[in-house]
Amino acid sequence: MSSIPAPQLLAIEGCGNAVPEPPGMGEARSAALERCLQVLRDAASDSEQFAALLLVTKLAQAGDLSPSTRRRVFDAVGFSLPNRLLVTVETPPDCPPHLFRSLAVSLLAGFSTDPGLAAHPELINKIPLLLGLVSAEPEPGQERPRRDQPGLDLPEQSPTEPAQDGTKRDQPGPNQITQRTAPGPSPTEPHAPGQAEPNQNHCGGAGQQTQLCPDLATIQDSYQCLTALALSPRGPRVLLSRGAVPALCRAHTQRCPGHALALPVLTRILSGAGPAAWQKHEEELTRLLVLLSSEFARSGDSSKFTLCEALPHFLPPPAGAARPGLRPSLDALCAGLREVLGARLSVAQRDPALRLAACLLDGFGAEWLAGSGPGSGQFLALLVNLACVEVRMALEEPDSGSVRRDTVTACYRILEFGMEACSLGLTCPDAAPGKPPSGLLTLEQSRQVLGVMEEAVAAVIFYLAQVAPVRYRDPFVFASVRLLCAWLAEETSSLKQEVCALLPFLIGYGRALFEGEERDRGLTNQMEELSVTDSGEGGDWPGDALRFLLPGLCHLSVEEGPRAVLLSQGSPALLLRYLSHLWGRLGAAGGCQDQASLQTACSVFLNLTVTEPGIVRTDPSFSSLQTLLMDSLPSLIQKPPLLILAAHFCTLGLLMARLLAGTPALQDRAPSRRFARSALLFLSRAHTLDSDGAGRGVVRSARYSECWEDVGELWFLGMQALGGCVAELPWLADTVLQSGWLGDALELLRACPASADPDLRGALQAVLTPLAQHSQACRDFIRKQQGEVIAKLHCMAELQRHLAGTG
């Protein structure tokens, strides 16, 4: 590089304060700025470029330059100049050793304010350099910055929060070119435009390093570059792939100069690539979270509420929240939040605390509440009460536009957890054996919590009753529907009249989101913005209100009044299309969520089949459902992980087959026989002969034992339904005989002692008796297998009569 006088270098770094200009000066300044840009473009050396840049900074503040003008400055300078500055080692005599590097980073910071340049490959290539600058310890002989310097070493205050003396601390924004300040006295002292600051040695000796380290301005510029990168669409992933997370975590945990500016950049990275960041840098992020949560617990000033805003971004994703190293953080967060929420707060202070509590419940549940010790139930009750108050205040107001939606959504999550706690009796995991669990809500607390939640749910119903179809795409409406569905899934005895009145809306809303144009990615993105946790890598939100509504429908379909409303709204046809959609998706790449929804949908249809047989015979939706079940069960029965779903398909299909025996789908054809054989295969695999010599005769098979709590009742109901189908489907008895099930059933009874499980004997008799009654071939087979002796042994009087020909 050419030799460059130091005054030119430092003059370009400084910039005068804005002063009122006389009338007409604006046009003159614009003309002068154009001449300077021309000189900048025609510069033949670095010295000329620096001189032209100096004139540009004197003529206009960076914030006054239009984007097009800033871009013209870049086009004239390009990345070649900062690149040359970065590789230049020697500096003029008596000048700071990193003078050229500081100037290069200052230029990069200016370029980064242009959104089109923020993710430029040249700037991306500088990420390792920038990270090295912000995470480096002060060099020997340099002092750390004073605690009262703007935005550099104040962990207790946000970079944008007013300081205690009332002044505003400056933080370089993503769309602002920072104005560099040379080493010297306080950078806040005013000086005239174009005039050097008083008592300033342009090259900066050791005496000028005691108050402002020469590299602090460079660190600010480095953070501005990193911030601009993080705000670009691909920025979070690019920074993650280049090691930004460990470097920034180290900068903050080791209190490097300017470390407070690391948190906003980390926040953006974790918002855009949180799960991947935790998977790649769990140790560093855990260490940072422990530090932040400790500061949160100890802090006694406004920084506590600032940390409430920041901490949700630094929590691990819910899928991997169970990390032993986080126990100190959970305890500290619980203690800090308990202190905050137990005090008198303004709305601005309470909202971030409630959002943080919702994120912790979402990620850690009862494990987080363990940090409050024996009073965890009392703390949970406090949380639920505060959340209910917020929901009622927000939704009972006539102007719904004033709803603080992010806070109310967080309160919804707290209420959902409160419902789960009251329903399941969640306990503190640290409870001592043999003693009452410290995390369990007492009976009095449960009643009080349910009471306040009922009032909040009533407010949600009041709000939803006013929602017009044009607002179905509103993600806050979806969040409100989800909360109501969670309440219906756990509690249907209260607010029954209000719920019945709202059922037409709920069915219409679910239909609109499932079948209409609302099922698009636009609502997915809005839901992510409204989520209480970061979900940058989550799957697409499917517009699936029906998934949340199904458990409530399962309860409501048992009761006569709500069931009549459901049938009047065409619910069977809607649920059939939804079940078909889920089944197709499960065959492609479905997960546990789809399985659970399919099972619940089958339960709703099962309730309707048992309580409304006339509707099953006349509504074409049930005939179509029967065809789907018959086509699906043969493949489903071959997939052991889907045994519970197979139980639902089998039992529902058999129950409806008895009512739809006259339809074409259930005539003596190949699909009907395949379905019957698959149903018999499911029923026959539940029990087997005892092979370990324990003398039990008949035992439940291993596969069924693992999930008998879920499939046991369905198995008994399926046996009952199979017996009922024998008389209605003439071809079924031959299928049973050909399948070998009849011989297996008799073998089980032969090996089963008379004192065996009476429920099992009753289930087998429910099938054997109609087979012997309606099929001569089955009756002859049973006789040949000593059926009369078996029937007498197990006191099956009705079967004995049919075998003897007297029935």
Side-chain angles (χ1 to χ4, degrees):
M1 289 188 62
S2 58
S3 176
I4 306 170
Q8 285 183 317
L9 284 173
L10 291 174
I12 194 172
E13 295 181 26
C15 182
N17 293 339
V19 295
E21 58 185 20
M25 284 295 294
E27 296 180 2
R29 189 177 63 175
S30 298
L33 183 60
E34 288 297 326
R35 290 194 297 271
C36 291
L37 290 174
Q38 183 63 40
V39 172
L40 188 61
R41 286 193 297 269
D42 298 338
S45 66
D46 291 331
S47 296
E48 293 181 8
Q49 277 192 323
F50 286 138
L53 281 172
L54 170 64
L55 293 175
V56 170
T57 60
K58 297 302 180 183
L59 286 170
Q61 295 283 344
D64 295 337
L65 295 177
S66 66
S68 60
T69 303
R70 288 200 301 269
R71 188 57 184 249
R72 290 168 65 191
V73 173
F74 165 76
D75 292 337
V77 177
F79 281 105
S80 59
L81 177 58
N83 287 342
R84 290 197 300 274
L85 289 171
L86 288 173
V87 299
T88 301
V89 178
E90 297 182 358
T91 57
D94 300 326
C95 285
H98 302 302
L99 184 65
F100 291 134
R101 182 189 66 186
S102 299
L103 182 56
V105 175
S106 180
L107 290 172
L108 294 175
F111 296 159
S112 71
T113 61
D114 188 326
L117 298 176
H120 193 282
E122 287 282 358
L123 196 58
I124 291 175
N125 290 337
K126 306 298 187 298
I127 291 178
L129 167 69
L130 300 173
L131 294 175
L133 291 173
V134 301
S135 62
E137 286 288 326
E139 297 179 2
Q142 293 179 335
E143 293 185 4
R144 291 184 181 271
R146 290 189 339 185
R147 294 185 59 83
D148 60 348
Q149 284 188 294
L152 293 176
D153 196 25
L154 284 171
E156 293 84 2
Q157 289 181 313
S158 168
T160 58
E161 181 188 0
Q164 293 182 358
D165 60 359
T167 60
K168 186 83 171 180
R169 296 178 350 197
D170 295 329
Q171 178 192 11
N175 297 315
Q176 177 186 356
I177 299 179
T178 54
Q179 302 302 322
R180 295 286 305 274
T181 306
S186 172
T188 60
E189 294 180 7
H191 55 276
Q195 179 181 347
E197 297 181 7
N199 302 324
Q200 177 177 320
N201 182 335
H202 289 294
C203 290
Q208 279 74 38
Q209 296 177 3
T210 57
Q211 186 171 343
L212 184 61
C213 170
D215 277 340
L216 289 181
T218 303
I219 290 172
Q220 285 182 304
D221 289 333
S222 300
Y223 274 118
Q224 175 158 333
C225 294
L226 295 172
T227 301
L229 273 166
L231 290 173
S232 64
R234 294 177 53 247
R237 292 189 175 276
V238 170
L239 288 168
L240 175 63
S241 65
R242 282 163 173 75
V245 170
L248 293 172
C249 287
R250 185 168 60 253
H252 192 84
T253 55
Q254 295 181 0
R255 292 295 193 263
C256 295
H259 69 273
L261 300 178
L263 293 184
V265 184
L266 277 170
T267 297
R268 176 59 185 169
I269 295 174
L270 294 175
S271 296
W278 271 96
Q279 183 178 8
K280 193 174 182 179
H281 303 293
E282 178 179 339
E283 182 179 352
E284 293 86 351
L285 288 171
T286 299
R287 191 181 302 117
L288 177 61
L289 179 57
V290 170
L291 175 65
L292 293 176
S293 56
S294 176
E295 292 178 355
F296 173 68
R298 294 196 314 266
S299 175
D301 55 20
S302 60
S303 63
K304 204 178 196 74
F305 304 103
T306 303
L307 285 170
C308 272
E309 292 278 10
L311 277 166
H313 300 283
F314 293 91
L315 297 177
R323 293 177 169 89
L326 293 179
R327 184 71 262 170
S329 294
L330 296 181
D331 293 342
L333 291 171
C334 190
L337 268 179
R338 192 165 188 175
E339 178 186 3
V340 169
L341 294 174
R344 295 178 62 89
L345 303 173
S346 65
V347 171
Q349 294 170 331
R350 184 171 56 250
D351 283 4
L354 289 172
R355 290 195 293 268
L356 176 58
C359 291
L360 288 166
L361 287 174
D362 199 54
F364 301 96
E367 181 186 0
W368 166 63
L369 287 174
S372 58
S376 56
Q378 182 180 0
F379 184 37
L380 175 59
L382 171 65
L383 276 176
V384 174
N385 274 274
L386 290 174
C388 289
V389 170
E390 291 296 327
V391 169
R392 292 188 61 189
M393 290 179 60
L395 300 185
E396 290 177 354
E397 295 177 357
D399 182 14
S400 60
S402 63
V403 174
R404 304 187 313 281
R405 297 188 168 199
D406 52 350
T407 299
V408 176
T409 305
C411 292
Y412 284 169
R413 182 62 190 97
I414 295 173
L415 264 62
E416 285 188 38
F417 186 83
M419 296 172 193
E420 297 169 10
C422 291
S423 175
L424 304 177
L426 291 179
T427 61
C428 171
D430 297 333
K435 295 184 178 180
S438 58
L440 184 65
L441 288 173
T442 65
L443 181 60
E444 181 181 355
Q445 288 173 337
S446 297
R447 289 172 176 170
Q448 191 272 334
V449 166
L450 284 173
V452 296
M453 285 196 297
E454 181 177 335
E455 295 175 354
V457 172
V460 174
I461 295 175
F462 172 77
Y463 169 76
L464 292 176
Q466 305 174 66
V467 173
V470 294
R471 294 181 53 206
Y472 280 179
R473 297 191 60 165
D474 187 341
F476 184 72
V477 173
F478 180 88
S480 302
V481 169
R482 170 173 170 167
L483 176 75
L484 178 57
C485 292
W487 173 263
L488 294 177
E490 303 290 350
E491 174 63 53
T492 57
S493 60
S494 62
L495 301 173
K496 187 176 299 183
Q497 184 176 354
E498 293 84 351
V499 169
C500 285
L502 194 67
L503 272 180
F505 163 80
L506 293 175
I507 297 299
Y509 180 77
R511 179 183 288 112
L513 291 189
F514 174 63
E515 296 177 344
E517 297 178 354
E518 288 81 0
R519 297 177 62 204
D520 57 17
R521 289 185 59 87
L523 191 53
T524 303
N525 298 333
Q526 294 180 61
M527 288 301 299
E528 289 178 356
E529 293 175 3
L530 200 59
S531 175
V532 297
T533 55
D534 295 327
S535 56
E537 294 195 347
D540 290 346
W541 181 79
D544 198 352
L546 288 175
R547 173 166 65 92
F548 298 104
L549 186 57
L550 279 175
L553 294 182
C554 192
H555 293 310
L556 294 170
S557 59
V558 178
E559 304 178 28
E560 183 177 357
R563 185 171 65 247
V565 177
L566 293 176
L567 293 174
S568 69
Q569 297 298 313
S571 299
L574 172 61
L575 292 178
L576 171 63
R577 287 191 289 272
Y578 181 65
L579 189 147
S580 302
H581 165 72
L582 290 179
W583 174 247
R585 196 165 67 180
L586 182 68
C592 297
Q593 191 177 90
D594 287 337
Q595 294 180 43
S597 296
L598 279 167
Q599 292 162 197
T600 310
C602 287
S603 297
V604 177
F605 277 115
L606 193 147
N607 290 339
L608 296 176
T609 301
V610 172
T611 57
E612 299 286 348
I615 298 294
V616 176
R617 293 188 179 98
T618 57
D619 191 330
S621 299
F622 288 90
S623 298
S624 300
L625 174 61
Q626 181 69 37
T627 302
L628 185 150
L629 296 175
M630 292 171 60
D631 293 341
S632 305
L633 186 61
S635 61
L636 185 60
I637 201 68
Q638 304 299 330
K639 300 175 181 178
L642 301 179
L643 179 61
I644 300 176
L645 182 59
H648 282 83
F649 273 40
C650 174
T651 303
L652 178 59
L654 290 173
L655 282 170
M656 290 199 305
R658 180 174 56 86
L659 301 173
L660 299 173
T663 60
L666 286 164
Q667 300 309 303
D668 186 9
R669 295 187 300 184
S672 302
R673 290 183 175 270
R674 279 198 303 270
F675 168 74
R677 284 193 294 269
S678 299
L680 289 167
L681 190 60
F682 164 76
L683 296 172
S684 65
R685 289 175 174 176
H687 298 86
T688 184
L689 296 178
D690 185 9
S691 59
D692 62 2
R696 289 176 291 176
V698 177
V699 294
R700 198 175 297 131
S701 63
R703 279 178 49 204
Y704 283 67
S705 294
E706 296 173 357
C707 56
W708 190 250
E709 185 177 345
D710 296 307
V711 304
E713 186 176 351
L714 291 169
W715 186 86
F716 285 108
L717 190 57
M719 292 288 288
Q720 211 173 28
L722 177 63
C725 289
V726 171
E728 304 294 336
L729 302 171
W731 53 266
L732 182 58
D734 291 338
T735 304
V736 173
L737 188 60
Q738 295 169 10
S739 70
W741 180 90
L742 190 54
D744 294 340
L746 293 171
E747 186 65 25
L748 288 177
L749 285 172
R750 187 180 295 112
C752 187
S755 60
D757 182 4
D759 293 332
L760 175 59
R761 292 204 316 269
L764 293 173
Q765 183 182 9
V767 181
L768 291 174
T769 299
L771 286 173
Q773 179 183 1
H774 297 285
S775 171
Q776 180 66 44
C778 289
R779 187 162 55 247
D780 293 342
F781 181 85
I782 295 173
R783 287 170 177 166
K784 291 179 182 179
Q785 298 295 321
Q786 301 179 335
E788 292 174 316
V789 176
I790 294 173
K792 184 177 180 180
L793 174 66
H794 292 285
C795 302
M796 297 180 179
E798 190 174 357
L799 177 59
Q800 285 181 277
R801 288 196 302 272
H802 290 302
L803 292 176
T806 60

